[in-house]
Amino acid sequence: METIGRDLLEMQRVPLAEAHVEAIRNIGSRAQYPAGVIIVRPGDPADRFVYVTEGEIEVVDVFTGARLVPSTIGPTQFMGEISFLSGGNWSTAFRAAQDTRVIEVPRAEMLALMARVPEMSDIIITVLAARHRRHLETGNSSLVLIGEEADRTISRIAEFAGRNRLPCASHPLGSEKARAVAVSCAADPDRPTVVFGTDMVVVDPTPQKIAKLMGLARDLIDDEMVDVLIVGAGPAGVAAGVYAGAEGLRALVVEDIAIGGQAGTSSRIENYMGFPTGISGADLVWRGEVQAMKFGTRFAMPLRVDALDQLGDRSFCATFSTGTRVRAKAVVIATGVQYRRMPIDRLDELEGAGIYYAATENEARFCRGTEVIVNGGGNSAGQAAMYLSRTAARVRLVVRGNSLAASMSDYLSRRLEADPRVQLHYETTVSQLHGEDHLDAITLDTPDGQRRIESRALFIMIGAAPNTDWLAEHIDLDERGFVLTGERVDRDPPYETSKPGIFAVGDVRAGSVKRVASGVGEGSVVVSRIWSHVDQLRRAEAIGAAA
């Protein structure tokens, strides 16, 4: 871990070439900041690129005013966070440690320069990505959660931040750090709280409010036109965003829960080509997101599409849950699937308080040294069981069938069978949940009768249903709600739906292979057909304008 930390630190300090600096000077303006001046605060828009020519800039702990060593930036380095690529907000404070001179370039002009000079773009993105990873690892953040272990609302914010890789600090209620943060913002130290910087206690916190503070949809313009709207940011949607941007299409990817989709809940994927030691689903898709942003693709969340209408010019209009509308020449449905909820009493009461649908680092923190139950027999359930076995005292994998052969990859089932911390329960179902404010125990129906297991964590991964309720009146679906495409709706392109201009890729598509690699492949391939469709509409517009 020490080596990884040093490597990340070095990656944060990669300098730009002199030719790159000269190009920045040609389009930028000079600015000077006296020692002690705060240059940006948490929540400010990341609207400019700042290159340091003289002096030093430090990252500041907003609650104490102390420098966060070794996060300092000197001559030949630049100030920036990954939010610069997406048009989001700063999540930390930067201060001039001494009199400092810089060159500043507006975001739009800098992104255009990066597009023209890929070598410079590669350096900048490498540095920003390394800083972001270190930011996540250190836990130093202006977004602070107090009491997530005691409040379901706060725990949902933690899940939202974790799944979307938003830097976030979490302190137990009553801890010394929690009290210090609460006092610095004049908050009640004995109540669960969400704090952003020293001057904002988030009242009635929701993922939407946190997304707004972080600027996750800041530059979304009502009624704007894009070439392609991609609904869903799992592997298929993000891959479509990468290739659409690379082909010069104006692409917007919207997601209503978390970048990564179901893949984002996979703690370790070992059978994806190019990652022999495995990679988490969240990390894999996040890399794709950064890659897509490099090509100009925009991401906005949390946004749910409530309505989709076709206009007279053959374009589409999507209305989001916020009331904002976006027009698009083409639409890609990549909404994937969501885990089914068990028909069992008290499920609603205990969701987020011992009942989970993802096994990531965020949930694993609460399973250390305890006994947990994973309900499901597919790859996601198997990956969750393996991941949780690292920290839990025991993991019980509950499977309805009498084997894993038909539903799980062979390498994974063999690994589970060999792990002494994993116990397999075949022909078994969860029948009762016990506990008041938090899950305390679970009753299993086994071939030998009922059995009560003391456990404070149940992970439900029992199959999935497509997210297509909002599409039923627009395109053809099969009897289970999956989107029909290609020959099944008399369309030549394999991923086009029954309505020209609307495409479907990934798990939401009927007949698709429910694997990450397949979703990435479909999202990549569909763009060539989208480009042809958009080009036809552009030509029609040009003819109409000429007439």
Side-chain angles (χ1 to χ4, degrees):
M1 182 62 74
E2 239 180 76
T3 302
I4 293 174
R6 287 197 298 270
D7 289 345
L8 286 176
L9 183 58
E10 289 306 312
M11 289 170 68
Q12 294 179 69
R13 298 179 180 275
V14 178
L16 293 170
E18 184 55 40
H20 302 155
V21 177
E22 186 61 29
I24 291 171
R25 286 195 183 98
N26 291 338
I27 63 173
S29 59
R30 288 166 175 76
Q32 182 172 351
Y33 295 98
V37 167
I38 297 294
I39 300 173
V40 295
R41 300 178 185 276
D44 288 348
D47 57 2
R48 67 193 190 277
F49 181 87
V50 181
Y51 180 83
V52 180
T53 57
E54 297 178 33
E56 183 183 19
I57 294 174
E58 58 190 354
V59 181
V60 181
D61 185 327
V62 295
F63 302 105
T64 65
R67 170 192 286 191
L68 292 177
V69 178
S71 301
T72 59
I73 301 164
T76 74
Q77 297 177 310
F78 51 88
M79 191 176 89
E81 295 181 348
I82 202 72
S83 56
F84 173 78
L85 297 178
S86 61
N89 294 341
W90 293 95
S91 63
T92 52
F94 287 78
R95 179 175 64 197
Q98 52 184 273
D99 290 350
T100 301
R101 297 177 185 274
V102 301
I103 302 171
E104 298 186 342
V105 183
R107 173 176 171 268
E109 294 177 31
M110 190 64 197
L111 291 178
L113 177 61
M114 290 167 62
R116 295 195 301 271
V117 188
E119 297 84 1
M120 178 174 65
S121 176
D122 290 345
I123 293 173
I124 292 173
I125 290 175
T126 297
V127 170
L128 297 184
R131 286 178 182 169
H132 186 72
R133 185 180 294 277
R134 187 170 181 84
H135 201 173
L136 291 171
E137 290 180 353
T138 59
N140 294 317
S141 177
S142 300
L143 177 62
V144 179
L145 313 184
I146 298 174
E148 71 166 286
E149 78 289 345
D151 187 278
R152 202 174 312 175
T153 298
I154 309 297
S155 69
R156 286 184 177 135
I157 298 299
E159 179 184 9
F160 176 77
R163 289 193 61 188
N164 288 287
R165 302 180 73 87
L166 301 178
C168 169
S170 180
H171 305 312
L173 197 64
S175 66
E176 183 178 341
K177 287 186 177 180
R179 288 188 173 278
V181 170
V183 169
S184 72
C185 346
D188 185 345
D190 297 317
R191 294 187 59 184
T193 306
V194 176
V195 171
F196 188 66
T198 56
D199 56 356
M200 181 176 294
V201 174
V202 184
V203 179
D204 298 326
T206 63
Q208 289 76 15
K209 288 184 178 181
I210 300 305
K212 185 174 182 180
L213 288 173
M214 303 300 284
L216 297 186
R218 186 174 59 82
D219 63 348
L220 194 62
I221 302 171
D222 191 34
D223 210 34
E224 71 173 297
M225 171 67 85
V226 298
D227 289 325
V228 56
L229 172 66
I230 301 167
V231 186
V238 172
V242 170
Y243 280 81
E247 292 299 322
L249 294 172
R250 292 169 297 167
L252 172 65
V253 183
V254 298
E255 168 62 48
D256 72 336
I257 299 175
I259 304 296
Q262 290 296 332
T265 68
S266 294
S267 53
R268 191 179 186 191
I269 300 172
E270 293 189 77
N271 58 352
Y272 192 87
M273 188 183 73
F275 296 93
T277 60
I279 185 172
S280 74
D283 198 25
L284 178 67
V285 180
W286 182 76
R287 293 181 185 208
E289 180 188 1
V290 173
Q291 192 173 8
M293 289 191 292
K294 167 186 173 179
F295 291 121
T297 294
R298 294 156 55 208
F299 289 77
M301 65 167 302
L303 285 178
R304 184 184 70 250
V305 178
D306 281 350
L308 183 66
D309 302 295
Q310 188 162 30
L311 306 179
D313 62 356
R314 294 169 57 197
S315 68
F316 300 92
C317 178
T319 303
F320 301 121
S321 51
T322 58
T324 302
R325 299 183 306 173
V326 165
R327 293 181 296 138
K329 293 182 172 66
V331 177
V332 175
I333 308 302
T335 49
V337 296
Q338 58 187 356
Y339 286 118
R340 290 190 173 95
R341 302 170 77 252
M342 294 192 307
I344 189 171
D345 290 342
R346 307 199 59 234
L347 185 69
D348 290 345
E349 301 172 39
L350 296 172
E351 283 182 334
I355 304 293
Y356 306 108
Y357 295 89
T360 66
E361 184 179 351
N362 192 62
E363 293 79 20
R365 288 180 298 154
F366 302 110
C367 300
R368 190 173 301 278
T370 66
E371 185 160 315
V372 303
I373 294 177
V374 178
N375 190 21
N379 275 4
S380 294
Q383 289 161 352
M386 288 301 305
Y387 179 68
L388 294 168
S389 69
R390 300 176 186 176
T391 54
R394 176 185 291 174
V395 178
R396 297 179 184 272
L397 184 63
V398 175
V399 184
R400 181 184 293 272
N402 58 12
S403 79
L404 295 171
S407 57
M408 187 179 293
S409 295
D410 181 65
Y411 83 91
L412 190 53
S413 62
R414 284 189 285 107
R415 193 169 294 176
L416 289 168
E417 291 167 354
D419 193 323
R421 288 194 177 186
V422 177
Q423 185 170 347
L424 303 177
H425 295 264
Y426 294 115
E427 298 180 330
T428 299
T429 58
V430 176
S431 60
Q432 295 179 54
L433 307 175
H434 309 282
E436 294 300 325
D437 298 328
H438 195 285
L439 181 71
D440 292 325
I442 296 164
T443 295
L444 301 179
D445 285 350
T446 76
D448 300 320
Q450 287 195 330
R451 179 179 178 184
R452 181 181 170 115
I453 304 292
E454 302 298 320
S455 176
R456 291 177 57 82
L458 168 64
F459 293 82
I460 301 175
M461 299 174 176
I462 56 172
N467 299 314
T468 55
D469 292 344
W470 58 286
L471 288 168
E473 62 184 71
H474 300 290
I475 57 179
D476 293 345
L477 310 175
D478 70 8
E479 65 280 0
R480 296 186 297 162
F482 289 90
V483 180
L484 295 171
T485 59
E487 294 180 353
R488 301 178 69 173
V489 285
D490 297 324
R491 305 296 301 166
D492 178 45
Y495 305 120
E496 192 164 32
T497 69
S498 56
K499 179 166 288 188
I502 299 181
F503 303 83
V505 293
D507 288 0
V508 75
R509 190 177 67 84
S512 67
V513 178
K514 305 300 187 279
R515 289 290 187 270
V516 171
S518 175
V520 170
E522 292 186 11
S524 306
V525 171
V526 73
V527 171
S528 62
R529 178 54 190 158
I530 293 170
W531 198 95
S532 298
H533 177 82
V534 171
D535 187 55
Q536 289 176 6
L537 293 189
R538 286 174 176 170
R539 291 173 182 272
E541 289 175 358
I543 293 172

